[in-house]
Amino acid sequence: MANKIPVGILGATGAVGQRFVQLLEHHPWFETTELAASDRSAGKAYQDATNWRQYTPIPDSLQTQVVKPCEPNLDCKIVFSGLDSSVAGEVEEAFAQAGYIVLSNSKNHRMDEDVPLLVPEINPEHLGLLKTQRQRRNWAGAIVTNPNCSTIGLVMALAPLHRAFGVKRVIVSTMQALSGAGYPGLSAIDMLGNVIPYIGGEEDKVETEPLKIMGAWQHDAIQFADCKISAHTNRVFVEDGHLETVSLELEKKATPEEVADVLANFSALPQELKLPTAPIPPIIVTAERDRPQPRFDRDAGKGMSAVVGRIRPCPVFDIRLVVLSHNTIRGAAGAAILNAEIMKAQGYLD
Ligand code: NAP
């Protein structure tokens, strides 16, 4: 594309905001032209406002760019939001009202009935909600959200199995990386040699978001999937990558081999459209007995693939498996970028 589409990043100084900056640096369609954050950062050069924690340098073109306040007067039509949830709700609404397309990572609007909770491989048809959203809220712009960083790995594994066999009940335990709590996040003293078996609000998100994402698109609305999920969420001493152990009960019984086959052969619209951020394959099935592991597998598909392993029978339910996904890429910035790509491919950004 000769002329890239200018985009802004709200919350550009945070953990997710930095990932947006990094992932958009060489994007073929989008170019970061605006950086915005809180009053603490506004007016400063980006390199002074942010405590850069990525393993690649700040892109040259953005190092001295001045960070702006999160006000809807940015010179772009599309904004990626990595805003803290304490402010994301109102700020994102103000941008949508002012005509911006907002790709949000925050929890605030995910479960609103007129807001798509989008995973392009699973529910691209849910973008149909934007018509209702604009009519109901009288917005020129729109809000599209991506799931919580633990929901994404789980739902990437569940959705193809739900389609093939029907998933009735799920028990999931998460082992969530430190970067999921933002920067600086939890203190080293609290985390060293330790596991914290509580992440505020997280279990509710993991139990409800997949039901919306796997919901059927009927009569211009979403009918939530009929499936029960019980979640235990834990914070572990890992830098990046959320690991989840999952037991599931199926409506139509299936062997571990049949489950592996469905997951390994899963492919969807983003792959068909060859969207720049779409991983091929979206789900990697590993046969090694002790994988996936965060350190070795989180960057699979440039951090966009879900890695599933240890698929085996469950003596209580039907099947057990382990799934890993990168929390700040597939679970945050990469997901929102893929959402923008499918919107572009389907004419929602014209
Ligand atoms: P973070 O590192 O704490 O960054 C928060 C960002 O919000 C910073 O840029 C901060 O700007 C900005 N901000 C805070 N208060 C503000 C205000 N009053 N006005 C304008 N901007 C303000 O958090 P994070 O981990 O990147 O998470 C960002 C969002 O993504 C959260 O809603 C989180 O739940 C969600 N999320 C995170 C992950 C993950 O793995 N980390 C995954 C999925 C979703 P200053 O630097 O100027 O304070």
Side-chain angles (χ1 to χ4, degrees), residues 16 19-20 23 104-105 146-149 152 326-338:
V16 173
R19 274 286 181 204
F20 276 124
L23 295 177
S104 168
N105 269 284
N146 48 265
N148 169 268
C149 46
I152 186 67
H326 197 304
N327 54 297
T328 60
I329 302 181
R330 185 75 216 209
I337 294 170
L338 188 59

Side-chain angles (χ1 to χ4, degrees), residues 146-165:
N146 48 265
N148 169 268
C149 46
S150 289
T151 300
I152 186 67
L154 178 67
V155 82
M156 288 286 284
L158 287 189
L161 300 179
H162 192 55
R163 244 172 250 170
F165 310 114

Side-chain angles (χ1 to χ4, degrees), residues 10-18 36-42 49-50 67 69-70 81-88 91 105-108 110 146-149 178-184 205 242 327-328 331-333:
L10 309 180
T13 49
V16 173
Q18 290 186 5
S38 78
D39 292 345
R40 294 178 287 277
S41 306
T50 193
V67 177
C70 287
S81 170
L83 282 174
D84 189 83
S85 59
S86 60
V87 290
V91 174
N105 269 284
S106 200
K107 65 179 181 185
N108 307 63
R110 282 187 197 136
N146 48 265
N148 169 268
C149 46
L178 291 172
S179 61
Y183 185 83
K205 294 176 204 163
H242 290 354
N327 54 297
T328 60

Side-chain angles (χ1 to χ4, degrees), residues 223-291:
Q223 310 299 320
F224 278 35
D226 183 17
C227 162
K228 274 205 161 46
I229 301 175
S230 167
H232 306 256
T233 57
N234 306 286
R235 186 74 67 194
V236 297
F237 203 43
V238 165
E239 187 183 12
D240 286 316
H242 290 354
L243 190 78
E244 309 180 34
T245 57
V246 187
S247 292
L248 30 115
E249 183 180 35
L250 302 173
E251 256 164 48
K252 188 175 154 226
K253 301 304 168 200
T255 64
E257 293 71 27
E258 287 167 330
V259 166
D261 202 47
V262 165
L263 295 175
N265 290 307
F266 177 68
S267 188
L269 190 58
Q271 286 70 34
E272 199 181 301
L273 294 172
K274 297 188 167 48
L275 300 179
T277 303
I280 298 176
I283 301 171
I284 295 169
V285 175
T286 168
E288 286 166 81
R289 66 180 180 185
D290 60 353
R291 301 281 280 273

Side-chain angles (χ1 to χ4, degrees), residues 265-331:
N265 290 307
F266 177 68
S267 188
L269 190 58
Q271 286 70 34
E272 199 181 301
L273 294 172
K274 297 188 167 48
L275 300 179
T277 303
I280 298 176
I283 301 171
I284 295 169
V285 175
T286 168
E288 286 166 81
R289 66 180 180 185
D290 60 353
R291 301 281 280 273
Q293 294 180 18
R295 194 168 351 130
F296 297 111
D297 298 306
R298 63 187 164 217
D299 292 325
K302 297 187 177 161
M304 288 297 288
S305 294
V307 184
V308 177
R310 305 210 64 224
I311 303 172
R312 60 208 193 282
C314 173
V316 178
F317 284 178
D318 294 309
I319 293 288
R320 281 177 291 179
L321 53 82
V322 181
V323 61
L324 174 81
S325 56
H326 197 304
N327 54 297
T328 60
I329 302 181
R330 185 75 216 209

